[in-house]
Amino acid sequence: MDGHIRSARIHEYKKPLKLDNISRPVISRDEEVLVKVGACGLCHSDLHLISGEWKDIIPINLPKTPGHEIAGWVEEVGKSVPENIMKPGDLVAVFGGWGCGWCIYCKSGEEQLCAFAKWPGLSSSDGGFSEYVLIPSYRFLVNVPNSVARPEDLAPLTDAGLTPYRAIKKVRSMLGPGRNIGILGIGGLGSYGVQYAKILTGGSKVFAMDRSDNKLELASQCGADYLVNLRSSDNLVDGIRTETGGKMLDVIIDCVGTDKTFHDSISILAKGGSIVIVGLFGTAAKIPIAMTVLNEYNIFGSLWGNYNELREVIELLNEGKIKNNITKFKLDDVNEVIGFLKDGQITGRGVLIP
Ligand code: FEH
Ligand code: ZN
């Protein structure tokens, strides 16, 4: 490193990223930490950003380095970073909701909901498709001491492995023996979702739903009890009715988030059931008002996870209670990997190694 680093950056929407040599970020505030990126996961949100679909809702200046699932090692710390908390060489996972620290959401520990939140690689700050990333405060890093985990295990946990965890925690009081939970969409998030559904829901049956047999096979390896191929099942409603003995699904975690998945979810939901939407593929869905009232449906949104929830999923990984399903790629191949993700060719999570 000669004061320059390699970063894959968006210069123009809908165009391939450019691998640029840029100046290494410099610490200018006392709480900042420079992290040497060990791994960065690739998320569908990156595709929305790169295509420009989100340019009005999340305005950014170009060029921009994407990547919000980051883990690596502390390279340098600002003057006020307490040495007993963090020092160069430490393995860290980057918490992605950079809140103001002051508002009602931040004060309740929900910094990802902060009205002024910044997200690495998604908003004004550069992200982890790079050799180094500057983190505004050590408060946004989870130190992972004496871990057997590697950066490529930790990186996907900061989003893909965190988002379904929070979603299931929101509704787990509605689950237990004799209850049914569906995980809709077995992409990066869904394979973790299936595992959390087994761990957190006290004996509920877990239904994995997807249009790809490969992804359903992964769900099966993660412990799903029933696999539903949404492409080949002619009658989803009858199929779920038969498998659940007429009870239908008490909870559905929608990791896709389109009008179609919302409609499918409502059609197989039990009375009093809950849909938690975490996927961001679609734009709008129609809610059937009478059915929602008469059947007391609950519809939740769930955004990412908070700092302590990130600590918890890292704990689960360190204890061997969850497993990752990752494919590693070189940062140099970023544009090819983006193509694989677009075409649904990545099972589990694709992770870039700079
Ligand atoms: C997307 C956009 C803004 C904040 C957080 C997110 C997450 O879903 C990251 O994938
Ligand atoms: Zn993401």
Side-chain angles (χ1 to χ4, degrees):
M1 186 181 53
D2 56 352
H4 283 83
I5 63 168
R6 276 154 52 77
S7 293
R9 301 198 297 171
I10 311 170
H11 283 257
E12 234 184 297
Y13 291 121
K14 294 197 175 70
K15 290 279 162 61
L17 305 189
K18 283 190 187 158
L19 271 158
D20 293 326
N21 269 317
I22 59 168
S23 302
R24 186 176 100 139
V26 174
I27 291 189
S28 61
R29 293 202 175 90
D30 291 352
E31 278 193 18
E32 286 176 347
V33 178
L34 183 67
V35 170
K36 179 172 164 51
V37 178
C40 185
L42 207 91
C43 170
H44 272 103
S45 297
D46 299 317
L47 303 187
H48 295 296
L49 190 83
I50 293 165
S51 69
E53 277 165 72
W54 285 358
K55 67 177 186 310
D56 296 326
I57 47 171
I58 312 178
I60 53 170
N61 294 325
L62 300 183
K64 164 75 53 201
T65 309
H68 53 276
E69 286 192 350
I70 313 165
W73 300 274
V74 171
E75 176 78 14
E76 223 177 291
V77 293
K79 281 195 289 233
S80 66
V81 177
E83 209 191 321
N84 60 333
I85 296 184
M86 205 157 286
K87 56 183 184 323
D90 284 358
L91 178 62
V92 286
V94 179
F95 171 68
W98 296 351
C100 69
W102 171 85
C103 72
I104 193 163
Y105 303 103
C106 289
K107 285 294 178 197
S108 61
E110 305 288 357
E111 296 211 21
Q112 77 287 1
L113 297 180
C114 172
F116 313 103
K118 292 183 180 141
W119 307 293
L122 281 170
S123 55
S124 55
S125 303
D126 279 322
F129 291 7
S130 178
E131 290 174 321
Y132 288 84
V133 62
L134 187 64
I135 310 299
S137 171
Y138 63 95
R139 292 192 300 111
F140 305 132
L141 294 172
V142 177
N143 200 329
V144 194
N146 311 319
S147 172
V148 289
R150 301 156 303 172
E152 58 265 38
D153 298 314
L154 295 170
L157 284 190
T158 64
D159 178 18
L162 177 59
T163 303
Y165 180 75
R166 177 178 177 85
I168 293 177
K169 270 181 64 180
K170 270 187 202 286
V171 286
R172 71 172 161 173
S173 64
M174 300 168 188
L175 291 161
R179 301 284 183 162
N180 303 305
I181 173 170
I183 308 294
L184 204 169
I186 310 298
L189 281 67
S191 65
Y192 291 103
V194 169
Q195 298 181 66
Y196 298 137
K198 295 299 288 186
I199 296 171
L200 298 177
T201 70
S204 299
K205 288 195 199 76
V206 180
F207 290 70
M209 298 179 270
D210 201 283
R211 295 164 62 79
S212 146
D213 282 330
N214 284 345
K215 292 181 180 173
L216 289 171
E217 171 55 33
L218 173 60
S220 165
Q221 288 163 19
C222 291
D225 300 300
Y226 296 93
L227 307 177
V228 182
N229 189 320
L230 296 169
R231 193 187 290 272
S232 54
S233 68
D234 308 332
N235 196 330
L236 175 66
V237 179
D238 286 347
I240 297 288
R241 189 174 288 121
T242 306
E243 294 292 5
T244 60
K247 291 188 194 166
M248 311 310 274
L249 304 186
D250 300 285
V251 165
I252 296 167
I253 308 295
D254 182 357
C255 300
V256 183
T258 61
D259 181 34
K260 166 94 171 82
T261 56
F262 183 74
H263 183 261
D264 281 349
S265 298
I266 289 270
S267 73
I268 54 177
L269 198 61
K271 270 197 180 200
S274 301
I275 299 174
V276 189
I277 306 173
V278 296
L280 285 162
F281 274 84
T283 45
K286 273 198 178 147
I287 298 181
I289 303 285
M291 267 173 84
T292 302
V293 174
L294 296 181
N295 293 325
E296 291 204 338
Y297 293 146
N298 307 288
I299 297 163
F300 296 87
S302 189
L303 177 69
W304 220 328
N306 66 34
Y307 183 92
N308 278 338
E309 287 163 343
L310 176 56
R311 278 190 170 149
E312 288 164 22
V313 296
I314 291 174
E315 198 65 34
L316 287 174
L317 182 86
N318 275 336
E319 288 172 4
K321 294 188 174 135
I322 52 169
K323 66 182 175 68
N324 285 315
N325 301 283
I326 55 166
T327 312
K328 292 196 274 177
F329 299 96
K330 290 196 213 118
L331 180 62
D332 287 341
D333 298 331
V334 60
N335 288 308
E336 207 182 342
V337 188
I338 287 171
F340 293 154
L341 184 63
K342 265 189 205 152
D343 297 343
Q345 286 178 36
I346 295 179
T347 301
R349 204 52 148 183
V351 174
L352 295 172
I353 311 289

